[in-house]
Amino acid sequence: MLLTRRQILASGVAMAAATPFLPIRRAAAAPEPDTAKLRLTADTRTLVVNGKSARVFGLIGPNEKPGITLSPGERFQVDLVNRAGTSTIIHWHGQLPPWKQDGFPWPQTPPIPAGQAQSYDYPPIAGTFWMHSHQGLQEQSLMTAPLIVYSAEDLRADRQDVVLMLHDFSFQTPDELLAGLTNFNDGQSAMRKNGTGMAMDMGSRSMGAMDMEAGTTADLNDIAYDAFLANDRTLADPEVIRTEPGGRVRLRLINAASSTQFWIDLGALTGTVIAADGHPVRPVRGTHLPLAIGQRLDVLIDLPGNGAYPIFAQVEGERTRTGIVLATSGAPVPRLAAEAGENAPPVDLSLERRFEAVTSLATRSPDVTHRVTLGGSMMPYAWSMNGEYWPQVTPLTVARGRRVAIEMANHTMMAHPMHLHGHAFQVVALNGAPLAGAVRDTVLVPPMSSVTIAFDADNPGRWAFHCHNLYHMMTGMMTEVRYPSVI
């Protein structure tokens, strides 16, 4: 049975969904954390978007900046202090901690109450990662931040580090956005033309576009957002990052949007991708890079000289874009258009096909292959895995020490960025064609396509496996990968 919206919001993944755009009374003071650990504070803040104020969440690190940055060899020793005025739980996306430190609301690991703190301590893996709430719809309200773990090689490279974190933003509450999607059957949605097909419009939409992976019409961009943010700013007032003439930059791209995929446009620059989801890949050159929800790319850029160099992120299927500017000292920064000259294509697997892991899985046949069918539709708005809707699911069981393959077949007209907690997997086949692809934690499965991943079961626990489109996950597209020894 499809879940009703009430059932969705009452489920374990959706409990206590917040309404951060309303004033929130501050909770009682949290206990003081261990000063030997880094302090991360979940709080509320005011963000001005297009001249209008909104109340959003934030994750503020020990240096009063978003998130956490760790030095080579430094442990993830963090006290998370909840001053957000509501329960929360934070997931360290792409990291490989013990399962009870992963930041998912299992019965054994409940959310952190307002005014309380939780400690974490594990050895992190180096690379570009991020953190976000796994409590209800808080992620949409910007309960997100970068998580950067430096390696010794990073420091030796002597490059300027630049983080570009992308969000989609609405002045509506996340609950209102979800209601706009799930109420299609109530006759309240108005149809409108958009130039590429028919679309739904009541705070949400389905835009038709040709999907090059499948050769069929794909649905894009469920929600009509008010803005798209790059480091919390729009192109009306972009962040300008000053560099040296001929500067050497390592651009860390993070798609932290809840429901939007982007094409990264380097403009006059050419970049070299050296890592996907924090894991090294053989260098790949490019100027237009697809970035699915939840994914990260590390891109090396050598600036040609003096000047201002915009880095754009364009919404798939649209002309709308956001971005930042790399500019040498004193170089004037021109006004940037918020729209490109033409619509971007759907985000695809063109870059995924070019990736080759620097360190592949050891050659070995799978001990077990799980076949997962991704199902669902826009009307009614509900999304499933193997015909099941979270939380009424049958876990995918894995045994420690086994090589596991998961073959995902997308039978829907929307792309699904699939994320596995607690494991780094390798992409080993696209539409049945084998490859020694990237090692990563989130992979896009385009409409009517298949992607196969493989990993070694080496981290016992209960692990969420879900679509990283927040609204697909909230309406059912999530299951569990479970080791039988874990209760």
Side-chain angles (χ1 to χ4, degrees), residues 143-429:
M143 188 75 93
T144 66
L147 172 54
I148 309 300
V149 183
Y150 287 115
S151 67
E153 291 77 12
D154 293 340
L155 302 186
R156 287 196 294 267
D158 191 28
R159 284 184 176 269
Q160 182 177 353
D161 220 58
V162 176
V163 175
L164 172 51
M165 193 167 191
L166 300 167
H167 289 102
D168 39 29
F169 175 84
S170 176
F171 287 106
Q172 292 182 276
T173 69
D175 282 339
E176 290 170 338
L177 296 178
L178 179 60
L181 293 166
T182 57
N183 287 346
F184 279 164
N185 290 342
D186 294 345
Q188 299 175 5
S189 300
M191 298 294 290
R192 66 175 174 85
K193 293 278 189 178
N194 67 16
T196 56
M198 299 299 289
M200 291 292 177
D201 191 11
M202 194 193 84
S204 58
R205 63 192 171 197
S206 167
M207 182 166 63
M210 288 305 294
D211 176 70
M212 295 298 101
E213 293 298 326
T216 55
T217 302
D219 290 325
L220 307 176
N221 303 326
D222 292 356
I223 294 171
Y225 284 101
D226 293 307
F228 297 93
L229 308 179
N231 296 347
D232 283 351
R233 298 164 76 163
T234 69
L235 278 182
D237 179 29
E239 182 177 16
V240 178
I241 298 171
R242 293 294 177 176
T243 66
E244 297 178 352
R248 290 157 42 86
V249 171
R250 181 182 186 132
L251 181 62
R252 297 178 184 265
L253 299 162
I254 305 172
N255 186 354
S258 293
S259 186
T260 304
Q261 306 193 130
F262 296 93
W263 282 89
I264 305 302
D265 179 2
L266 301 181
L269 304 172
T270 298
T272 302
V273 181
I274 61 165
D277 293 355
H279 299 270
V281 295
R282 304 292 180 190
V284 174
R285 300 272 288 173
T287 58
H288 289 78
L289 308 171
L291 192 63
I293 301 166
Q295 290 184 336
R296 290 87 64 213
L297 293 175
D298 286 29
V299 185
L300 303 185
I301 297 173
D302 294 332
L303 302 182
N306 286 304
Y309 303 94
I311 307 293
F312 294 111
Q314 186 175 350
V315 178
E316 66 171 349
E318 297 190 12
R319 296 171 61 192
T320 310
R321 62 187 182 179
T322 187
I324 62 172
V325 180
L326 304 178
T328 54
S329 298
V333 177
R335 182 174 295 275
L336 302 173
E339 292 190 344
E342 58 185 24
N343 287 352
V347 164
D348 58 20
L349 298 179
S350 55
L351 185 59
E352 199 73 53
R353 287 195 178 92
R354 300 174 65 192
F355 281 153
E356 180 184 352
V358 170
T359 304
S360 293
L361 288 176
T363 302
R364 175 180 174 184
S365 298
D367 297 300
V368 60
T369 299
H370 289 287
R371 291 177 173 82
V372 175
T373 299
L374 308 179
S377 65
M378 292 293 293
M379 297 180 64
Y381 192 89
W383 307 90
S384 65
M385 298 177 72
N386 285 341
E388 298 178 330
Y389 299 82
W390 181 267
Q392 286 80 37
V393 299
T394 304
L396 306 179
T397 58
V398 300
R400 187 169 190 169
R402 301 293 183 89
R403 172 66 55 82
V404 180
I406 301 178
E407 181 183 309
M408 295 169 284
N410 184 359
H411 290 184
T412 80
M413 299 313 300
M414 288 205 75
H416 300 291
M418 301 302 297
H419 172 53
L420 175 62
H421 288 217
H423 301 80
F425 56 73
Q426 185 167 19
V427 180
V428 296

Side-chain angles (χ1 to χ4, degrees), residues 39-40 59-63 65-69 131 144-147:
R39 181 188 181 106
L40 178 70
L59 289 165
I60 307 303
N63 58 359
K65 294 182 179 180
I68 286 176
T69 299
M131 59 184 77
T144 66
L147 172 54

